[in-house]
Amino acid sequence: MDKAVITGINGPVITGKGMKDFKMREMVTVGDKKLIGEVIILDDDDGTIQVYEETEGLKIGEPIEPTGKPLSARLGPGLLKNMFDGIERPLEAIQQFDEIYIPEGVGLINLDEEKLWPVEIMVKEGDLLQPGQVFAEVPETELIRTKIMVPPGLSGRVEKINRQDKYKISDNVLTLRTRDGQEIDLSLVQDWPIREPRPSKTRLEPGLPLLTGTRVIDTFFPIAKGGTAAIPGGFGTGKTMTQHQLAKYSDADIIVYIGCGERGNEMTEVIEDFPKLIDPRSGESIMERTVMIANTSNMPVAAREASIYTGITIAEWFRDMGYNVAIMADSTSRWAEALREISGRLEEMPAEEGYPAYLSSRLAEFYERAGNVKTLDGDEASITIIGAVSPPGGDFSEPVTENTKRFVNTFLGLDKDLAYARHYPAINWMSSYTGYLDLLEDWFDENVSDEFIVLRNKMLDLLFQEDKLQEMVMLIGEEALPDDQRWVLTVARLIRNGFLQQNFFDDEDTFVPLEKQFGMLDVIDRIYERGLEGLQKGIPVSQLSNADLNDKIVKMKYTIPNDDLSGLNTLKHEINSYYDDLFEKYK
Amino acid sequence: MRKEYLKIDQINGPLVTLKGVDDVAYGEVVRIEDTSSGDLKTGKVIKLDGDEATVQVFQSTSGLSGQDSVTTFTGDAFEIFESPAVLGRIFNGIGEPVDGGAEIYSDKKYNINGAPINPLSRRYPRNFIQTGISSIDVLMTLIRGQKLPIFSGNGLSHNQLAAQIVKQAQITGEDEDFAIVFCAIGAKHDDEAFFRKAFEDAGVMDHVVMFINHADDPVAERNTAPRCALTTAEYLAFEEGKNVLVVMSDMTSYGEALREISSARDEVPSRKGYPGYLYSDLASLYERAGMIKDHKGSITFLPILTMPNDDITHPIPDLTGFITEGQIVLNRDLELQNVYPPIDILPSLSRLMKDGIGEGYTREDHQDLANQLFSSYSKVIDVRDLAQIMGEDDLNETDKLYLEFGREFEKQFISQDYDEDRSIIESLDLGWKLLDILPETELDRLSPQLIEKYLPSKRHADK
């Protein structure tokens, strides 16, 4: 067999010959430095490879070597609390090659092969194991027990168990004898090709909300566990801020955070801040349940393309253990741009704005890997995908936003004007929507109140009315409107300032339980209803709107603690007595 | 002895193609001697296909012919020498001295492309830099190690603003461990002269390294000038331990040069003819700013870019805003009203300020005060729109106060003199004084405690 050699170099795209025996999507090493690449086109003896590292210094004629396997993620203990690049190389291990920078030619490293893990074996010799069945558990962090499963597609009887005090990830744990008599050694790790979804038994309809502690999301535009959401917004509107907030406080068991083509300092911030933050539910550091992938904007573009798949594969692995996983991809636009860049180098025919024609199918493939499922082992588990989108010029009609909209059910549109006025989170309630309300209605009825959805719709309607009235106000001024419309404007302002606006830097306000969210809306509803009563009695709106009372409502997010909601009732009493007194005067 | 090639097969703008080459590395430096004139040109291999190499030439290719030339592939990546002696020197876009001084000799040589900083090795920037400019210090605080571009338009006073920041930023304070790297990309001779004079006036010339590519210099050098400048900045910051401020003007020229080369290469264009990799390419520059764990120095990066047609959604400002940690946006209307610096505060932003201000850094009220000023000023803009339609007289009392607040805010807070250096405390107090124009019930971003403590009318009432 001829040795495969490089015949052309154009940025991250390499062409080679002598590649007849290579496989499509096979992982290869390129050149004397052994850069990591993946075969993306095969044409008889010729092949095209995308390389995940800087290609400067490569020469024509240098060797290309096959590895015999597709680009895969290595799945096992050691993922949590760790940060990886786009092809799952731990950034901490890379520091041993260079203290400051990421050099090329580090080779394929991933999970720590030397670390010893305590393992609890859940099966005994002679047991019949099914694909996906858990046979051992590793207490990986304070919070998470990593379950070790039989790889999909494999089953058999436990022939032998290898008992050790502690195990390295590649140590043999047990030997399986399959029906056709093959003996297969299982360790703590398995490799899985990143571009192929891991199988599950069946898909289930989502029925639980992913609670985030962010009011505008939980109450107005909830995301279901196993659902998909997109957060598009121009620069400076707070995409990353919102993503960080969700990574910190959403009630998923596992968070996979992908920094895809974004700022280096944002990842540094995550590394510095997350370990200090305590999860309000478990009382442990949120780092204990987090896996991070960082392929910043200046890291090689092909690895940026791979980072999304690496992330979702890791998420699927945790899902298969029965966990609810949430994956934040910031930003999917950078991933789409990586596709475009590579497509351009391949001289493919461009579709809209230079993006390849397969943009929408790739986006669909990605978002479809989310879902609420019954795992191979019979548990209910889910993956929720929350993708940030960075539309050029904040224009939502561009191809990535448009195509993403087709595949997600919750759309949280960020708005420049809100961000300019420092109304955060700058999620625009007019352009956002959620498709999960019907599925989640039962849950809200049972767990919050059967008034919840009714109240949510009523408040959203007030905001819609306000939006229409604003156009009027711009022409004739607020004073010229009839009193009932002015009252709508007053209450809508309370909803905006008192409820929608949330201060992520405030200890009390950064995470708000659903119960308080409902209580807050209830207070606003009380003032709205009492005001309507007053209007019917002919009381002018200037009397109905009391600056002190309004101020108390706007500040209730700070003054009423999350763990003692009695203040909400006191506030309702105050509202009642204010209006009772007022009505008395006008009798 | 390296092989010499006596024939160039194709010359197309800044790109030349040679056939029949071997042992050429992707990205290596190429020397081309024009034997008819004796000129020596430099270039870089940007594509290899079989025995065919495409070279991007940094100087002008006019006069070059396919026959009368000798091309050598040097086998080296594009590297420049660094030593402490670079301070006070002036170089061209490919790092050659143009001030008549000697070449830099050193045993330290660096690839100008740099390498991505490992996010784990970064130190998150948290130190506030006082620029003495109220709007920046209070509303879009500059942090040491930040990349904060100035989005400007043609003819606006961005140069003055950058010079004032250089002059007043306490980065140039008492300690000697600072350096300024100035990089002109396709800049006018006037601009360069302006900055040179500004540095001289500030008495910092000994700490400045300049990389100059003039508007009439070769386009391809615009690609290397910022890389040479940032390589020097990295050396000064992370090896010499200095706090480095990099000022770069104009990033729009850089983007246009990139587009020119891309179109010469027949690449598939994306928005407005810019190449699809514009984002990655810009990121490879901007992301070189920052601080490193266990290292002393820092790179603070102030790129200036002129928005074509003042359009912030143009690809260059747009992609820049997605990479940098905020932006300072200048506004033509303010400039026309003689407001200097004409900073449009609403679209301006510093992403790092949240961690570098407040108690222990500036003052406890800083964040809330900034939010209140932003929110009140955005209301001013709404009221102005309303006043346009209804006339000012028909506005209600509160709205009239907003108009007054807006006027005074622009006059007293945003405006200041070119050599006026305000302390952060002065600036914060000024913010409070202006908010006092508004009724207290309008101050919904401030807690009662802060209002009690800082609002002038309250403080006096208590006494």
Side-chain angles (χ1 to χ4, degrees), chain A residues 508-575:
Chain A
E508 207 61 51
D509 206 30
T510 186
F511 170 86
V512 184
L514 208 50
E515 210 187 332
K516 181 172 171 190
Q517 300 188 18
F518 175 67
M520 289 169 77
L521 270 196
D522 196 37
V523 167
I524 296 172
D525 182 51
R526 179 63 55 96
I527 200 166
Y528 174 63
E529 288 296 337
R530 296 305 308 256
L532 285 185
E533 251 177 79
L535 286 173
Q536 274 166 0
K537 295 183 199 291
I539 303 174
V541 81
S542 55
Q543 289 297 307
L544 292 173
S545 175
N546 175 279
D548 275 348
L549 213 48
N550 290 354
D551 197 49
K552 274 191 185 151
I553 289 175
V554 169
K555 304 254 157 84
M556 66 184 162
K557 54 183 148 187
Y558 303 124
T559 51
I560 297 171
N562 290 334
D563 50 10
D564 176 15
L565 300 181
S566 58
L568 290 170
N569 267 329
T570 322
L571 194 52
K572 276 202 289 198
H573 286 309
E574 257 179 80
I575 293 169

Side-chain angles (χ1 to χ4, degrees), chain A residues 303-545:
Chain A
R304 192 190 303 165
E305 192 264 340
S307 65
I308 291 277
Y309 296 104
T310 304
I312 191 89
T313 307
I314 292 172
E316 284 173 343
W317 186 64
F318 281 109
R319 176 205 64 193
D320 292 346
M321 299 177 201
Y323 289 120
N324 289 312
V325 186
I327 176 165
M328 280 93 203
D330 183 16
S331 145
T332 57
S333 292
R334 305 298 163 226
W335 166 71
E337 282 165 9
L339 281 184
R340 174 168 72 182
E341 187 170 335
I342 293 158
S343 160
R345 305 258 188 195
L346 295 173
E347 294 173 9
E348 292 174 336
M349 180 74 83
E352 251 180 302
E353 290 195 21
Y355 286 104
Y358 47 78
L359 172 69
S360 94
S361 59
R362 291 283 168 87
L363 277 168
E365 277 167 27
F366 171 62
Y367 281 107
E368 283 299 305
R369 286 174 81 167
N372 193 28
V373 301
K374 183 167 242 176
T375 65
L376 293 180
D377 207 20
D379 296 321
E380 187 171 343
S382 66
I383 292 181
T384 313
I385 297 182
I386 299 153
V389 184
S390 318
D395 169 16
F396 288 180
S397 67
E398 57 91 40
V400 182
T401 317
E402 269 300 312
N403 282 306
T404 302
K405 260 183 143 169
R406 294 166 51 201
F407 309 118
V408 299
N409 274 324
T410 302
F411 184 83
L412 304 168
L414 296 174
D415 185 280
K416 192 182 67 179
D417 291 327
L418 289 173
Y420 282 3
R422 271 44 178 186
H423 172 113
Y424 289 126
I427 295 171
N428 184 320
W429 48 92
M430 301 300 294
S431 68
S432 302
Y433 57 80
T434 179
Y436 295 116
L437 215 54
D438 293 342
L439 293 175
L440 299 176
E441 200 171 347
D442 289 346
W443 188 92
F444 282 123
D445 284 353
E446 245 167 69
N447 293 280
V448 192
S449 157
D450 44 13
E451 291 295 305
F452 183 77
I453 300 277
V454 180
L455 193 56
R456 175 250 182 210
N457 291 343
K458 183 173 171 186
M459 293 294 136
L460 203 54
D461 181 57
L462 282 178
L463 290 167
F464 281 122
Q465 287 186 42
E466 184 212 20
D467 190 66
K468 292 274 167 298
L469 291 173
Q470 283 298 351
E471 289 166 24
M472 246 359 214
V473 171
M474 285 315 290
L475 290 174
I476 57 173
E478 195 173 326
E479 273 74 20
L481 291 178
D483 269 9
D484 59 334
Q485 295 186 346
R486 288 183 65 187
W487 184 238
V488 170
L489 290 177
T490 309
V491 176
R493 212 169 292 136
L494 290 176
I495 305 175
R496 280 160 170 261
N497 297 338
F499 189 83
L500 294 172
Q501 223 178 75
Q502 190 166 348
N503 186 348
F504 292 156
F505 301 119
D506 183 88
D507 290 341
E508 207 61 51
D509 206 30
T510 186
F511 170 86
V512 184
L514 208 50
E515 210 187 332
K516 181 172 171 190
Q517 300 188 18
F518 175 67
M520 289 169 77
L521 270 196
D522 196 37
V523 167
I524 296 172
D525 182 51
R526 179 63 55 96
I527 200 166
Y528 174 63
E529 288 296 337
R530 296 305 308 256
L532 285 185
E533 251 177 79
L535 286 173
Q536 274 166 0
K537 295 183 199 291
I539 303 174
V541 81
S542 55
Q543 289 297 307
L544 292 173
S545 175

Side-chain angles (χ1 to χ4, degrees), chain A residues 7 9 11 56-58 261 422 479, chain B residues 26 48 50 113 121 279 348 396:
Chain A
T7 57
I9 307 163
E56 194 175 285
L58 283 183
R422 271 44 178 186
E479 273 74 20
Chain B
Y26 183 70
L48 284 171
N113 286 330
S121 306
Y279 177 82
S348 298
N396 66 29

Side-chain angles (χ1 to χ4, degrees), chain B residues 379 383 395-403 438-439 441-442:
Chain B
K379 181 84 198 279
V383 174
L395 294 178
N396 66 29
E397 285 312 308
T398 312
D399 285 352
K400 280 180 187 160
L401 289 173
Y402 267 107
L403 286 186
L438 297 172
T441 46
E442 293 294 308

Side-chain angles (χ1 to χ4, degrees), chain A residues 7-9 11 56-58 91 95 99-100 102 236 261 263 265 269 272 334 392-393 422 474 479 501, chain B residues 26 48 50 111 113 115-116 118 121 126 271 279 287 318 322-325 346 348 351 354 374 389 396 445:
Chain A
T7 57
I9 307 163
E56 194 175 285
L58 283 183
L91 292 178
Q95 276 181 322
E99 195 190 354
I100 302 182
I102 298 178
R263 303 174 184 87
N265 273 331
E269 186 185 3
E272 288 189 13
R334 305 298 163 226
R422 271 44 178 186
M474 285 315 290
E479 273 74 20
Q501 223 178 75
Chain B
Y26 183 70
L48 284 171
N111 186 326
N113 286 330
N118 188 331
S121 306
R126 293 179 199 272
R271 278 175 77 215
Y279 177 82
E287 279 289 330
D318 188 54
F322 276 117
I323 306 164
T324 54
E325 284 137 355
L346 294 181
S348 298
R351 289 169 190 272
K354 62 185 191 329
F374 276 122
I389 298 164
N396 66 29
R445 304 295 178 93

